[in-house]
Every structure is written in structure tokens, then in C-alpha cells.
Amino acid sequence: MNYVEVDTRVLDAQGKFVAGLKPEDFQVFEDGKPQKVSAFSMVNIPVERAERPLFASKPIEADVRNNLQAADGRIYVIMLDDMHTAALRSQRIKAAARLFIEKYVGANDMVAVVHTSGRTDAGQEFTTSQARLLAAVDKFMGRKLTSATLNMVDDVSNRAGTAMAASSSDPARDLDDKERGYNARNALDSIRNVSNYLGNIRGRRKAIVYFSEGIDYNINELFSNTMTEAQSVIDATRDMIAASTRANVAVYAIDPRGLGGEFDDLSAIQSFPDDTTLGLGMGSIYNEVRLAQDSLRVMGEETGGFAVVNQNDFKSAFQRVVDDNSSYYVLGYYATNDKRDGRFRKIEVKLVNKPGLSVRARKGYVAPRGKAPETKTTDAKDAPSAELRDALESPVPLTSLPMAVTATVFKGPAPKASVVIASYVVGAALPLVEEGGMFKNDLEVLAV
């Protein structure tokens, strides 16, 4: 059966969340057909703040990690798109991401940091540590390619006065086209992979806060000889939206350039070609920025989030992100159409006899395609059990077995040191069985 979860926000005329509704107050339709709601819950998460001792300028983080506190806060993945951010504008993304972490992430929120380029030295797995998150953000450095318009202007200039100039019918070329297409696919695949990973979390809203200047590839020029990667970028976009909608992950796309972002690229062009038939001018720069921002709008609108473009003040947008992920209803149902045909299924959530209230929910999801994946089994003697594998694959800590881990470093002969890792398990949580005057049980441990 195809189990579907849809997050729903019910707002009054003033835009405030309406609590206290019951399952019978909702109707869910998939492709126009009513669905039976089999799971229902209301989520209302407070924003907790870490306490700061009077003698310290900021909260002191514990040096012992534990899973005693359930991951009951908001779940964010901060995705920094270094492949689509100009190097000289890196500071803008770092400033915006730091603002979000410092002012809008609660002490009870689980947050991870990912770079679309896949940098292994700059990411941060899920944590509640503000210091670790900020350290990951500070490593960000944009590596966006030169504007396609600027590349084509240079191509025309280089051909001027040469034998190549005789062939005036040849279109101006973007020599970075293939790499530009690769970067676009890589960024979209990053969102898809994170969405699939977050799909293991049920009953919760998950959010990707995506800081990017937008995908700088013109997918509208599908049949152009100069845009060879358009179809593959379109396919990657569809796969990304399909994964996000299936996993119930909302994407909040933030463009850090703010108002007038196109002027940075305009200032880099000293002059445009005299031949107006080439279509290279100020309009082409504006068109690039518009297409990139449209890609951010598509990500937000199709996944249940939103895009923030042409804005210099991110505070209200960040507050909307927090509100979206703090108070909502989770409606779960088993779709009557369980075909794995890869088609889009439209979702509508309606209220019963609740005039004056509005409903916000994602538009739908893309059904999986092909055969259902088989359950992984192994007969290896030392292989972990299925339960332990599931625990390791969980994106957030599990509280079924309370644990704590700490590391102590002992200085040794330079440059060596010894590290002792101590793991504690709450014995009261283990179901012990008396045997021969002793209480026994097996504890399976796997360290990664």
C-alpha cells in the first residue's frame, strides 16, 4: 500500500494558526477521489532557547552527547549552494545562514548543514550545537561559473577580426555549457538525495532551507544547439520534485542577492556586441537572473515551501519558515491508487463546515515508479540486525535505549594523542532475565 502524509496549516483571517481541530473536520482528496484519513495528529512545537550562565557571554555546550532528549523540535537541513553562488557574494550567504541559525533556530531543533558540491570537510550532520552549525557555514565559499551572457560576449569579441567572424550565422557560444549543466544537475540531485534521506522520518514536517542564487541554466532553450544539457536538467528537476513530495519535504529557497542582484553581473561587462541579432545585451542579463529566480520559485511552490527573491530583509521570511514548521496538522492515509506509475497525484485538503478558515498544504506528490524495493537481508554472521540497521539509518537520534557518549583526549608524544571514548547505557531500560543468580541480556553494539 502507498502510505501518504500531508502537512496542513489551517489559518484564520489574520493568518494565525487554528488549533483544536479534529480528524472529522478534514477531507482529503487525491485526484478528486476521497481518501480515508488513518493517521492524524496536531504538532505544536515551542521555540526553546538555550540558557546562558551569568558569567558567560553565550550558552555553554555540554561535552557529553546523549539521546535522552527526543528530537521533538523542528527538523531543518540548511543547504548551501556553492555551485550557484558567485565567489565574491559568498559573504551574503554566510550572513543570511548565520542569521537564521542564531536568531531562528531553537535549542530543541535538529539541524544539519550540506554543501551542494559535496564537500566532506564542510558539512555538519544533525546536531543541536549552534557552534558546530556556524563553523560549517563559515567554511562556505561560492564557486559559481561566469555568467553565460558574459561568456558569449567574450566569444563574440574573440572571434571579431578573425576568419571565424566570416561565419556570422554561428551563434555565440557559452564554453561552460556542459559544466553549467553538470552543476545544475548536481545541485538538484543534492536536494533529491537529502529528501530521500529525510523520508525515513514519519509524522513530522521536514524542511530544506536552500540558500542559492538559483539554477543558472536556461531549460527553455531545449532545442538550441548551444544549450546541450537542457533536457538532463529538466529531468533532474522532475526527479528532485518527485523525491521531495514523496518524502513530505518542503523546500524554502532563499536568494541572498536581494534587490538588484543583476547589477553585479552587468558591471562585469564593459561593452556588448554591436550586432543586435545576437540577443546579447542588458536584457539577456536580466533574463538570466529571472530564470534563476524562477527555478527557486518552482522548488518552493511544488514542494509546499516558498521562495524568497528580490528581498533584502530576510527576517520576516525566516519567521514564516519557523511558523510553517512549528504548528501544523499531519494527515496520513493509504492511497486508493497504489500503482507505481511515476505520475503526479494531486492532493486537496478541505475543511468541513469551517467558514472563514483557509488551508495550506502541498499540491500533491509523484508516485514511485517500478517495482517496490526488496527488504535487505543478510546471512553474514557478524552482520547487524535489521533493528540496528534501521536505527543507524535514522536521520535523527532514537530514544528507545537511552545512551550517552563522551570523548577524553590524553596528550602523548608529539604529534600523537590518545582518545578514550566512553559509552554509557541506562541499564534500567534493558529487559534483563535472571539466570543462575545473575540478570542477563544481549546488547548489540555497532560503532561507525
Side-chain angles (χ1 to χ4, degrees), residues 78-86 89 92-94 96-97 114 116 140 142 144 183-184 187-188 191 208-216 251-258 289 292-297 299 307-310 314 318:
I78 296 176
M79 185 171 290
L80 308 177
D81 190 359
D82 46 352
M83 307 188 84
H84 294 97
T85 301
R89 292 193 287 266
R92 298 186 188 181
I93 275 198
K94 289 195 281 189
V114 175
T116 55
F140 175 81
K144 183 178 180 180
N183 290 348
L188 294 166
I191 301 177
I208 295 177
V209 186
Y210 179 63
F211 292 90
S212 172
E213 295 180 4
I215 304 300
D216 64 338
V251 178
Y252 299 91
I254 313 294
D255 184 351
R257 289 175 295 187
V289 175
Q293 292 179 341
D294 284 347
S295 72
L296 300 179
R297 292 187 179 97
M299 293 179 189
V308 182
V309 299
N310 292 325
F314 300 114
F318 288 159

Side-chain angles (χ1 to χ4, degrees), residues 89-151:
R89 292 193 287 266
S90 300
Q91 191 58 38
R92 298 186 188 181
I93 275 198
K94 289 195 281 189
R98 288 184 67 93
L99 174 65
F100 181 72
I101 294 170
E102 293 175 337
K103 301 298 183 182
Y104 296 92
V105 170
N108 54 331
D109 296 341
M110 297 294 296
V111 188
V113 176
V114 175
H115 293 65
T116 55
S117 62
R119 288 181 57 188
T120 57
D121 64 322
Q124 172 59 53
E125 295 185 2
F126 277 108
T127 181
T128 58
S129 169
Q130 186 180 100
R132 291 175 180 269
L133 295 172
L134 294 176
V137 169
D138 287 341
K139 296 176 182 177
F140 175 81
M141 177 57 69
R143 42 179 288 190
K144 183 178 180 180
L145 295 172
T146 304
S147 160
T149 297
L150 182 57
N151 277 351

